[in-house]
Amino acid sequence: LAGKELREDNKDYQQVLLDVRRSLRRFPPGMPDDQREGLQEELIDIILHVLKRNPQLHYYQGYHDIVVTFLLVVGDRLATALVEKLSTHHLRDFMDPTMDNTKHILNYLMPIIDQVNPEVHDFMQSAEVGTIFALSWLITWFGHVLSDFRHVVRLYDFFLACHPLMPIYFAAVIVLYREQEVLDCECDMASVHHLLSQIPQDLPYETLISRAGDLFVQFPPSELAREAAQQQAERTAASTFKDFELASVQQRPDTVLRQRFRERLRGEERTKSILTKPRTNRFVKLAVMGLTVALGAAALAVVKSALEWAPKFELQIFP
């Protein structure tokens, strides 16, 4: 479809337009206005093209932060192909009609922190800060919150080479790196949320990338899935219905409390037995992860240069 027809036919056009107009900081400082405006028009067309070809996908605010990164690195032709493929894989959960799957991914954050530093985990739980501070990190692959484009591209290399949940491991690593700042903070939701939502710009990215890969091997999603699901269940109204029903019948709150206490103890014992299982072949996994990350570091550069010798390269990658 031509650009004009594509825009007229797409229900998301107005929201995309607003988001792209607000994306000035995502372009290199000092870029001429006419060049930036041309790239913004291309950005709109790429987003609408992907949505048109994949009606099962739903636009979300922050999606343009990911698309503009690819546009700036590889140009509009290859960016369109890359983003479309990525949208149906790594970003798929963010593009559902609801945020249920995105919230579920965020639920992995606290279990990862708990495995490494229970003190930080308990402090955050006491403050009731939740995980919403990491939402923009996750759904934009940190593109919206980092000011240095070099750091953004490096993280994209890393995430492209890894499991779709790697961004949440990296988010956990950032929180753990700031351990002392967190523990020195007032233990209330507003203070802790404000601290964590202001991401430092001078992080030791290579060290944190290596640490995130290490944690993924030590505590793979399969080992954390149960705890992540439990966090979600405890937040729903349905999870309290059995207690309500029992209390209504017996009118004995102390009975309910004793039963919940016994169930919690049993749950903690089961969780402890799972988390203390011996882990085998850790060093082999670490070696594989290290190789994967090393290969991913050059991914975008290789793809970009490929256009110079293979005009139809994007069609060969994405059949």
Side-chain angles (χ1 to χ4, degrees):
L1 288 175
K4 183 177 179 181
E5 295 176 355
L6 188 61
R7 298 180 186 205
E8 290 176 349
D9 294 342
N10 199 294
K11 62 182 176 59
D12 295 305
Y13 170 61
Q14 289 300 325
Q15 185 60 58
V16 173
L17 179 63
L18 289 173
D19 290 345
V20 170
R21 283 178 174 172
R22 289 193 294 257
S23 66
L24 298 183
R25 58 180 294 272
R26 292 306 317 280
F27 294 88
M31 174 179 283
D33 289 345
D34 57 343
Q35 183 181 358
R36 173 185 50 77
E37 291 168 2
L39 287 170
Q40 286 180 307
E41 293 300 310
E42 292 178 0
L43 177 58
I44 293 172
D45 286 340
I46 292 172
I47 294 173
L48 297 182
H49 176 80
V50 172
L51 294 174
K52 181 70 175 180
R53 282 174 51 87
N54 300 272
Q56 78 278 14
L57 301 178
H58 297 262
Y59 177 78
Y60 65 89
Q61 287 184 276
Y63 181 69
H64 70 290
D65 282 299
I66 288 184
V67 180
V68 72
T69 303
F70 286 94
L71 173 61
L72 291 173
V73 174
V74 300
D76 62 327
R77 286 190 305 149
L78 188 52
T80 303
L82 285 168
V83 167
E84 181 170 5
K85 198 69 172 178
L86 194 63
S87 299
T88 56
H89 289 81
H90 282 60
L91 305 179
R92 180 66 182 85
D93 288 327
F94 309 147
M95 305 189 76
D96 278 347
T98 71
M99 290 189 65
D100 290 346
N101 283 339
T102 302
K103 292 176 182 177
H104 178 67
I105 294 172
L106 284 170
N107 285 338
Y108 281 84
L109 180 64
M110 296 305 292
I112 298 170
I113 294 172
D114 191 28
Q115 291 296 314
V116 180
N117 194 325
E119 184 181 6
V120 171
H121 170 272
D122 294 347
F123 181 89
M124 293 175 66
Q125 291 287 72
S126 297
E128 299 182 342
V129 68
T131 57
I132 196 67
F133 65 87
L135 176 61
S136 65
W137 304 358
L138 177 66
I139 64 176
T140 70
W141 279 10
F142 297 84
H144 184 71
V145 294
L146 297 181
S147 58
D148 193 322
F149 190 67
R150 295 173 304 169
H151 297 153
V152 175
V153 173
R154 177 65 184 99
L155 286 181
Y156 275 47
D157 280 340
F158 177 49
F159 297 150
L160 283 170
C162 296
H163 190 282
L165 286 180
M166 188 57 77
I168 206 67
Y169 280 81
F170 192 80
V173 165
I174 290 178
V175 175
L176 292 166
Y177 175 76
R178 305 181 70 190
E179 168 191 357
Q180 201 55 54
E181 289 181 80
V182 173
L183 296 178
D184 289 344
C185 189
E186 291 291 330
C187 190
D188 63 76
M189 188 273 288
S191 299
V192 179
H193 176 83
H194 178 73
L195 171 71
L196 292 175
S197 60
Q198 304 298 312
I199 189 169
Q201 297 296 315
D202 59 346
L203 295 170
Y205 291 94
E206 292 304 324
T207 300
L208 297 183
I209 285 172
S210 177
R211 181 61 173 148
D214 186 20
L215 290 185
F216 183 88
V217 173
Q218 286 181 272
F219 313 112
S222 58
E223 291 191 13
L224 303 174
R226 182 172 181 175
E227 189 173 349
Q230 181 64 24
Q231 286 201 21
Q232 180 66 25
E234 289 175 352
R235 295 194 185 102
T236 62
S239 67
T240 63
F241 181 75
K242 290 184 179 179
D243 287 347
F244 174 77
E245 185 180 39
L246 185 60
S248 299
V249 173
Q250 297 185 0
Q251 294 297 307
R252 289 284 303 279
D254 58 317
T255 303
V256 179
L257 292 173
R258 285 199 300 272
Q259 179 178 336
R260 291 192 68 175
F261 181 73
R262 287 194 298 269
E263 290 175 349
R264 180 179 296 179
L265 285 179
R266 287 196 294 269
E268 289 176 352
E269 290 173 357
R270 285 195 299 269
T271 302
K272 188 177 296 183
S273 66
I274 292 172
L275 295 177
T276 54
K277 290 190 300 182
R279 299 184 177 90
T280 60
N281 295 329
R282 179 186 170 196
F283 293 104
V284 173
K285 292 179 180 179
L286 280 173
V288 173
M289 175 62 71
L291 178 60
T292 302
V293 173
L295 291 173
L300 288 181
V302 170
V303 168
K304 183 179 180 182
S305 62
L307 281 179
E308 298 175 1
W309 52 265
K312 296 184 179 180
F313 180 68
E314 66 268 36
L315 301 180
Q316 296 169 16
I317 297 181
F318 305 107

